[in-house]
Amino acid sequence: MSAGRFPTLCPLVTACALLVGSVATLADDRAGWPEEVLLGTASLGGTYQVYGDGLVTRLIDELGVEAVSQATGGPYHNMTLVHTGVADLGLVTLGPARELWDGEAEFAPGEEMRDVRALFPMYQTPFHVVTLAGSGVESIADLSGKRVGVGPMGGTCAAYWPQFLEALGVEDVHLQYAGANHLTDYLTSRLSDAFAFCAGLPIGAFERLERRREVHMFGLTEQQQATLLESFPVSPFEIPADVYASMDAPHASVAFWNFAIGHKDLPESFVYEVMKLVLDHPEAMEAIHPAAAETRAEHLDKNSVIWFHPGAVRYYEEQGLEVPTAMLPPEMRPDEEAEDAADVAADDASDETPSDTAD
């Protein structure tokens, strides 16, 4: 080989070596990644469905993983699916998540679903109501004796609207359980008097309804808001007047924060890449749904329920954000605290009774 060919060959060999090294590193980084990722969302027509479908598309297009979104009953269902390993990822509101985390859910009493880990904050879910204009239902008090859709069984709205109405002294409500799209059809067919829902704003089903019919939307009075804030683990929220064309003034409401969750055994590298995908490019998530304006790393402090996944902790720490010790998974805590958490988990396991809640 002539000496004159070395200057050309050496860079080529170097580039090939770097390429091989990069491929090897990529393969190492993806070791243990799930072959297919299943993400639990909620009913069609709700914000979870739009947000989750968009996230799955980004996982496929930008991370190159096989991913599927699955319509579910919502947060209670998603916590169960992720805890049992049926789903890899899910979307939850922290109210239902706390019930299942602490073993206080009515359908699974005593079963603490702690094989779930928190990933990233999504947005807040406020509660509000839509009716057809001229229906005579114009406020929360008017719901007494009426047929009211509250979302699908197992969803946040279906779980909390009945409790809210009881706390506010609204009696004899005939509750209807179905997905968001179905409940808007109930309204237009006069099979319902009102649709009381909760989701990230704007709610697609509400928007479609107001394009088809004249509607009336309302939230809470200040006194009703104060009553719910005192009685439930919710935050005050104001629905802006410009969210829907049918609104001409802000509505008082209350809200839960939503977080994405994953199974505790998901590889750290996979979760870390999901965190980067979502939080490094907020504009891409906002293009999926406007509610993602709140999908920001600094809102990690809104989660005081579910331990964060190590891959999420790594991401937050690289952003200069501190995850509270109480929200670290046991394996990442100081030795003494980790031992205490392990003892609690062992005690819980010894007391655990079989459950038939998993799908």
Side-chain angles (χ1 to χ4, degrees):
M1 182 179 292
S2 67
R5 295 179 62 185
F6 276 100
T8 302
L9 182 60
C10 287
L12 180 60
V13 171
T14 302
C16 290
L18 289 173
L19 178 60
V20 170
S22 297
V23 171
T25 300
L26 182 60
D28 290 343
D29 287 346
R30 291 184 173 237
W33 280 32
E35 293 183 5
E36 181 179 79
V37 175
L38 177 63
L39 168 71
T41 59
S43 66
L44 299 179
T47 306
Y48 270 18
Q49 180 242 326
V50 178
Y51 192 104
D53 287 354
L55 176 56
V56 159
T57 298
R58 296 194 64 205
L59 291 173
I60 295 169
D61 293 345
E62 300 176 51
L63 289 190
V65 301
E66 295 294 327
V68 178
S69 62
Q70 176 64 55
T72 69
Y76 290 96
H77 197 185
N78 293 339
M79 276 286 287
T80 303
L81 291 174
V82 173
H83 171 72
T84 57
V86 175
D88 305 285
L89 302 172
L91 312 178
V92 301
T93 41
L94 292 181
R98 182 184 297 277
E99 292 179 38
L100 291 165
W101 184 261
D102 290 336
E104 296 175 353
E106 289 185 6
F107 66 87
E111 183 176 357
E112 297 180 344
M113 297 192 182
R114 299 199 172 181
D115 285 347
V116 174
R117 295 292 180 267
L119 304 186
F120 55 85
M122 295 165 54
Y123 53 81
Q124 295 182 79
T125 286
F127 292 72
H128 61 142
V129 187
V130 63
T131 62
L132 294 181
S135 68
V137 179
E138 299 185 355
S139 68
I140 295 292
D142 292 334
L143 296 177
S144 290
K146 298 298 191 294
R147 300 164 300 175
V148 181
V150 291
M153 292 290 292
T156 304
C157 318
Y160 281 89
W161 263 118
Q163 297 181 62
F164 288 176
L165 293 173
E166 181 179 2
L168 297 175
V170 181
E171 301 177 344
D172 194 30
V173 178
H174 305 285
L175 300 172
Q176 297 172 316
Y177 300 96
N181 285 344
H182 284 104
L183 289 173
T184 57
D185 290 340
Y186 288 5
L187 266 186
T188 58
S189 302
R190 307 288 179 172
L191 297 175
S192 287
D193 299 302
F195 178 19
F197 204 50
C198 61
L201 302 175
I203 301 171
F206 279 27
E207 288 184 313
R208 286 189 290 276
L209 180 62
E210 73 172 353
R211 286 196 295 266
R212 296 161 56 192
R213 298 294 181 88
E214 290 188 18
V215 300
H216 174 66
M217 298 186 187
F218 57 88
L220 307 170
T221 66
E222 290 185 5
Q223 182 56 54
Q224 289 169 340
Q225 184 188 55
T227 297
L228 297 186
L229 291 173
E230 183 178 350
S231 304
F232 299 92
V234 290
S235 301
F237 192 94
E238 182 178 82
I239 300 172
D242 61 355
V243 172
Y244 302 103
S246 302
M247 288 178 56
D248 56 10
H251 293 165
S253 182
V254 293
F256 284 116
W257 267 92
N258 298 273
F259 269 73
I261 58 172
H263 192 273
K264 70 179 182 65
D265 292 337
L266 283 173
E268 178 181 331
S269 62
F270 171 73
V271 170
Y272 175 77
E273 291 300 331
V274 172
M275 298 291 291
K276 285 177 60 66
L277 177 72
V278 173
L279 297 176
D280 281 2
H281 305 284
E283 71 289 344
M285 295 306 299
E286 287 184 57
I288 293 169
H289 196 286
E294 293 186 302
T295 301
R296 298 292 187 272
E298 58 264 29
H299 292 312
L300 74 92
D301 63 342
K302 304 305 188 297
N303 169 37
S304 60
V305 178
I306 305 169
W307 300 328
F308 282 101
H309 191 284
V313 175
R314 173 186 166 194
Y315 177 84
Y316 290 128
E317 290 181 343
E318 287 184 2
Q319 303 305 307
L321 299 169
E322 182 179 357
V323 176
T325 300
M327 290 295 99
L328 293 173
E331 66 271 20
M332 297 187 74
R333 299 184 192 183
D335 291 343
E336 184 176 340
E337 292 193 27
E339 289 176 5
D340 291 342
D343 289 342
V344 170
D347 291 342
D348 291 341
S350 65
D351 294 336
E352 193 172 281
T353 56
S355 170
D356 60 358
T357 61
D359 286 3

